[in-house]
Amino acid sequence: GAVVSQHPSWVICKSGTSVKIECRSLDFQATTMFWYRQFPKQSLMLMATSNEGSKATYEQGVEKDKFLINHASLTLSTLTVTSAHPEDSSFYICSASSGEGTDTQYFGPGTRLTVL
Amino acid sequence: KQEVTQIPAALSVPEGENLVLNCSFTDSAIYNLQWFRQDPGKGLTSLLLIQSSQREQTSGRLNASLDKSSGRSTLYIAASQPGDSATYLCAVIGNQFYFGTGTSLTVIP
């Protein structure tokens, strides 16, 4: 149980375009979802936390107008990278919690974004 | 802000050796600590979760310890195998997950 999926697993796009990444909890209801970014040989950094039906909370330094997060249902959150640039190329990982607290997060397999 | 450090950054050992990975953190006010494995280009696989009231957890050939007062955790891998080759991440759990930069392990057949 507690499976989280991400789609797509990898995406290549041109600079200036927008890319949407989906995160789904397959067998549980995710009250809270988290989006992380991981640059090569670096640790995962939390970008934002989203609760179903409300606005996401962004970490300091993360542009909310560039990284649009929607958590419209208890099983789906989306991250849209708007007007992507090469420096946005990274590995994006989502995680989901059923509301038991921040100590129980189930991680997705990640999405590799390459912006040309 | 919580800072998490993992030493060494990379480790190469021959098959069969026992090894220890280290994780240190600056703020001892944590809920839990979790060890993950990450294969290249892949997501995270949870290995062990140690609650703040516990001192260690074991799963198969893996044993993780936690010393909150000194801000340290270790992951012990017994009888290493080539399939253990991966990056190992520790995450300190407070009001959010704080990840270390990982230790890249290579087990040589």
Side-chain angles (χ1 to χ4, degrees):
Chain A
V3 178
V4 176
S5 70
Q6 282 185 241
H7 178 80
S9 55
W10 59 270
V11 57
I12 301 173
C13 69
K14 293 182 178 180
S15 184
T17 61
S18 295
V19 174
K20 180 184 287 188
I21 303 170
E22 293 185 348
C23 176
R24 293 182 184 272
S25 57
L26 300 185
D27 51 4
F28 67 101
Q29 293 187 325
T31 306
T32 308
M33 286 187 169
F34 306 83
W35 287 95
Y36 294 84
R37 179 168 51 183
Q38 184 181 33
F39 291 107
K41 298 190 184 300
Q42 296 187 25
S43 64
L44 279 74
M45 297 298 294
L46 179 65
M47 298 175 65
T49 303
S50 71
N51 291 292
E52 185 264 339
S54 58
K55 290 184 178 180
T57 301
Y58 291 80
E59 295 300 303
Q60 190 173 8
V62 178
E63 301 174 58
K64 62 180 181 180
D65 294 330
K66 181 172 183 62
F67 298 98
L68 302 179
I69 293 173
N70 185 294
H71 192 165
S73 76
L74 286 172
T75 59
L76 173 65
S77 176
T78 60
L79 167 67
T80 301
V81 183
T82 62
S83 186
H85 291 286
E87 57 266 30
D88 298 324
S89 298
S90 186
F91 194 54
Y92 292 87
I93 299 179
C94 74
S95 69
S97 170
S98 60
E100 299 167 359
T102 58
D103 58 336
T104 308
Q105 291 185 25
Y106 304 99
F107 287 81
T111 297
R112 170 73 60 192
L113 170 64
T114 301
V115 184
L116 302 177
Chain B
K1 181 183 175 183
Q2 180 75 267
E3 292 184 7
V4 183
T5 304
Q6 290 187 246
I7 295 174
L11 181 63
S12 184
V13 300
E15 181 177 3
E17 273 204 6
N18 303 324
L19 57 102
V20 175
L21 307 180
N22 298 289
C23 173
S24 61
F25 47 96
T26 55
D27 187 350
S28 61
I30 68 172
Y31 289 119
N32 303 309
L33 186 143
Q34 194 164 1
W35 283 91
F36 295 88
R37 168 186 174 137
Q38 185 176 31
D39 291 286
K42 303 293 185 181
L44 306 181
T45 300
S46 178
L47 298 174
L48 290 165
L49 171 69
I50 309 177
Q51 297 182 355
S52 61
S53 58
Q54 299 175 319
R55 293 193 64 85
E56 66 177 300
Q57 277 284 349
T58 298
S59 176
R61 294 182 294 108
L62 306 180
N63 176 278
S65 68
L66 173 63
D67 184 342
K68 277 181 56 178
S69 60
S70 66
R72 295 179 186 275
S73 176
T74 61
L75 178 66
Y76 175 82
I77 302 177
S80 58
Q81 302 172 357
D84 295 332
S85 299
T87 295
Y88 290 80
L89 297 169
C90 73
V92 173
I93 303 163
N95 59 344
Q96 63 170 270
F97 276 52
Y98 296 93
F99 285 87
T101 51
T103 293
S104 177
L105 172 65
T106 302
V107 180
I108 304 167

